[in-house]
Amino acid sequence: MFIEGNFRNSSSGETFGSYNPANGELLGEVASGGKDDALAAIDAASRAFKEWASLTVYQRSKFLMEAHRMMMESQEEIAEIMSKEQGKPFRAAMNEVQYGADFLIWFAEEAKRIYGRTVPSSRTDQRFIVLHQPIGVVGAITPWNYPVSMITRKVAPALAAGCTIVVKPAEATPLCAQAVFKIFEKANLPAGVVNLVTADDPQPVGEVFLNDVRVRKITFTGSTKVGKMLAGGSGSQLKRLSLELGGHAPFIVCSDADPVHAAKGLALVKFLNSGQACISPNRIYVHEQQEKTFLEELSSRVSKLKAGPGINKDSKIGPLINEEALEKVDQQVRDAIEKGAEVITGGYRIKDNGLDQGHFYAPTILNKVTPDMTIYREETFGPVAPVITYREGDDLLEMANDTHYGLASYVYTQNLGLAMKLFEGLNFGIVGINDINPTSAAAPFGGNKESGIGREGASEGIHEYLETKLGGFSI
Ligand code: ADP
């Protein structure tokens, strides 16, 4: 753990192991923090807050720029840890470290644009001034699927805004979190500004975040279930909340779209991180006229994806994070098959070439998926592409919006009017139009409905950590 500027063990002395999902190998032991450690970290963050908040934005920005430089210098080293601990192919891990570092530099710049404003009054003897000030101590809970960038996506705007922070990373990826905090240590951030509490059991730390009045904001990325629990729990103290939760992204191939181009896009985005992404397409709507060409292109691409440990340079599909994740994916596939889905490729756990020691699932395409199947409603978080054929006259917006999630969505069309109609009508926080990567540190990321509250990245991202204060001056 990293508390008040020092790496340390947990107060109980307990540790837990971090394992490679590709082969079960023990990668390292880390401190297992609990209630006392969370309190110590909040003490440190609380003590550091006043001074950090009173630095100029230029001073705060310098620390973030330094952290950015150091993270890029250590890109390969961090990517290697990530590839081993989380499983994604090394190249994807390199991209994630870059994406993670992007937040540090982007918010280093944005800190300088925390502008207030003056508002004209109807009284000649009155002036209004609006200020933005840091909320205070932040409690952050991060997931394992993007174990580096989901930390910087929270820490960078919080620090830029003048907040201090305690991060509790996912229990599957504590070594990635440590690697990020080694960068913060090297960047010489003042003691207590950033703190890390690793924990085998997240609940006691989560409870401290919810119950300690000094924590004024909770920011969370993870499942909708835990997000709802945190939203309920923070109600009694009305803490500010940012939640980035699950998704069930529709991927719509319109009748005018090029099915080969769309299949190429889908093959790239669906199997990224083995489908373990909240913006991964989960319902692929293809017009009946394009079904054949689309599926041919898709299956030819998907059958070439080589599964293996992320650290092997030729691996395109890494393992799933654990046995439970693999079981969930397999159950959804079995349920779909029982209810009439057709397996185009995949549909099984990979056990050959020594992969039986890891959690590998074959990249899978299911055709003839229907709304009664679990996969049509529940997030999969695995390498499975469920295809649904639609006909002329079907209401695409109604079908795509028929979910309690609202994070990402994708549309392929060459028709500008149709693109605009779908862009405006899709009830999702992110819409990719002929674009499979609608994300950037500079762009607001987040979901509607049960996919979350608030946005990360962009100017919206920094305002999640700021209070608005109005001054009325009678003169
Ligand atoms: P996933 O199913 O993807 O692992 P979770 O929502 O369970 O998603 O995990 C995301 C993050 O939430 C992790 O850091 C995890 O430790 C944390 N978490 C899970 N349960 C709780 C809880 N009861 N209180 C606080 N944090 C939790």
Side-chain angles (χ1 to χ4, degrees):
M1 299 186 301
F2 186 74
I3 298 178
E4 201 140 37
N6 293 305
F7 278 97
R8 58 158 95 160
N9 294 329
S10 58
S11 53
S12 67
E14 279 175 26
T15 61
F16 67 104
S18 170
Y19 298 89
N20 184 335
N23 55 21
E25 172 201 6
L26 177 67
L27 296 169
E29 286 280 335
V30 298
S32 183
K35 189 171 172 234
D36 292 346
D37 303 295
L39 283 169
I42 295 168
D43 284 347
S46 183
R47 274 196 295 274
F49 174 67
K50 206 167 155 203
E51 203 175 319
W52 180 250
S54 67
L55 293 184
T56 69
V57 289
Y58 288 85
Q59 290 169 315
R60 291 204 298 265
S61 170
K62 253 187 164 166
F63 285 108
L64 290 172
M65 288 201 177
E66 192 60 2
H68 170 263
R69 191 179 64 73
M70 288 176 168
M71 188 172 270
M72 288 311 294
E73 267 177 24
S74 304
Q75 187 180 12
E76 284 199 15
E77 197 186 316
I78 302 174
E80 196 177 317
I81 295 171
M82 192 194 307
S83 210
K84 284 187 183 158
E85 187 180 48
Q86 191 271 339
K88 71 183 55 156
F90 181 74
R91 237 185 83 193
M94 287 288 282
N95 290 342
E96 188 191 330
V97 179
Q98 164 83 62
Y99 181 51
D102 284 352
F103 287 102
L104 297 169
I105 190 110
W106 201 87
F107 282 106
E109 295 294 354
E110 190 64 7
K112 300 165 194 169
R113 288 182 279 273
I114 304 175
Y115 302 140
R117 64 189 199 275
T118 59
V119 178
S121 164
S122 59
R123 278 169 36 202
T124 54
D125 67 341
Q126 188 184 42
R127 304 287 183 272
F128 286 129
I129 298 183
V130 179
L131 277 191
H132 297 292
Q133 294 180 310
I135 288 181
V137 175
V138 176
I141 300 176
T142 57
W144 49 263
N145 60 341
Y146 288 90
V148 166
S149 56
M150 294 303 100
I151 293 180
T152 54
R153 190 155 90 172
K154 298 178 186 322
V155 170
L159 266 49
C163 295
T164 55
I165 192 163
V166 180
V167 178
K168 193 219 70 69
E171 44 279 30
T173 51
L175 298 179
C176 287
Q178 279 184 356
V180 174
F181 274 73
K182 281 182 187 152
I183 300 288
F184 294 147
E185 186 191 33
K186 275 205 280 182
N188 255 326
L189 278 156
V193 169
V194 283
N195 304 275
L196 174 72
V197 178
T198 46
D200 192 17
D201 177 4
Q203 204 178 343
V205 180
E207 269 170 25
V208 173
F209 283 1
L210 290 175
N211 294 330
D212 194 309
V213 288
R214 295 170 298 174
V215 175
R216 289 313 312 150
K217 153 112 194 173
I218 292 185
T219 174
F220 170 77
T221 299
S223 62
T224 294
K225 182 172 152 238
V226 175
K228 285 181 177 174
M229 183 281 289
L230 293 171
S234 55
S236 65
Q237 291 174 12
L238 293 178
K239 291 181 199 281
R240 284 273 295 275
L241 269 181
S242 295
L243 302 175
E244 206 274 275
L245 311 175
H248 205 272
F251 184 103
I252 304 171
V253 185
C254 296
S255 57
D256 70 292
D258 172 357
V260 172
H261 184 55
K264 182 178 163 196
L266 182 77
L268 285 169
V269 65
K270 174 69 238 187
F271 299 96
L272 260 186
N273 209 9
S274 298
Q276 300 170 115
C278 47
I279 60 169
S280 193
N282 243 45
R283 283 169 292 140
I284 298 133
Y285 295 101
V286 182
H287 191 273
E288 59 180 344
Q289 276 167 14
Q290 294 161 320
E291 182 189 332
K292 192 164 169 286
T293 321
F294 179 86
L295 285 175
E296 274 168 12
E297 179 66 22
L298 186 64
S299 59
S300 113
R301 285 176 175 273
V302 171
S303 51
K304 289 190 196 109
L305 295 174
K306 186 171 174 348
I311 205 68
N312 296 357
K313 294 281 187 292
D314 60 342
S315 296
K316 291 282 185 292
I317 287 269
L320 295 177
I321 193 69
N322 54 32
E323 220 33 49
E324 202 186 330
L326 196 137
E327 191 53 39
K328 181 180 164 202
V329 171
D330 197 50
Q331 266 179 16
Q332 287 195 2
V333 170
R334 301 287 128 229
D335 169 79
I337 295 170
E338 263 168 39
K339 291 174 181 158
E342 197 181 291
V343 181
I344 306 289
T345 182
Y348 56 89
R349 177 184 195 152
I350 307 176
K351 290 192 175 160
D352 48 4
N353 297 327
L355 299 186
D356 56 327
Q357 298 304 306
H359 317 292
F360 290 90
Y361 201 81
T364 301
I365 305 170
L366 295 177
N367 193 24
K368 304 200 187 311
V369 168
T370 49
D372 57 324
M373 299 172 186
T374 312
I375 204 161
Y376 194 95
R377 302 263 164 225
E378 280 183 20
E379 198 172 34
T380 306
F381 245 58
V384 184
V387 177
I388 301 128
T389 312
Y390 71 90
R391 278 154 205 85
E392 216 53 52
D394 283 347
D395 188 335
L396 276 174
L397 274 177
E398 196 180 300
M399 291 194 297
N401 287 335
D402 178 23
T403 167
H404 57 280
Y405 289 117
L407 188 56
S409 54
Y410 303 87
V411 175
Y412 271 73
T413 178
Q414 296 304 313
N415 178 331
L416 180 60
L418 182 57
M420 188 56 73
K421 184 178 154 218
L422 292 172
F423 174 51
E424 289 177 356
L426 283 164
N427 194 355
F428 294 81
I430 300 166
V431 186
I433 306 280
N434 301 318
D435 183 14
I436 50 161
N437 188 19
T439 58
S440 153
F445 184 109
N448 300 353
K449 299 200 275 186
E450 292 190 16
S451 285
I453 297 175
R455 295 294 181 267
E456 292 192 308
S459 53
E460 284 87 343
I462 205 163
H463 280 278
E464 299 281 332
Y465 298 91
L466 293 164
E467 290 284 15
T468 298
K469 180 180 279 180
L470 172 69
F473 293 73
S474 269
I475 55 172

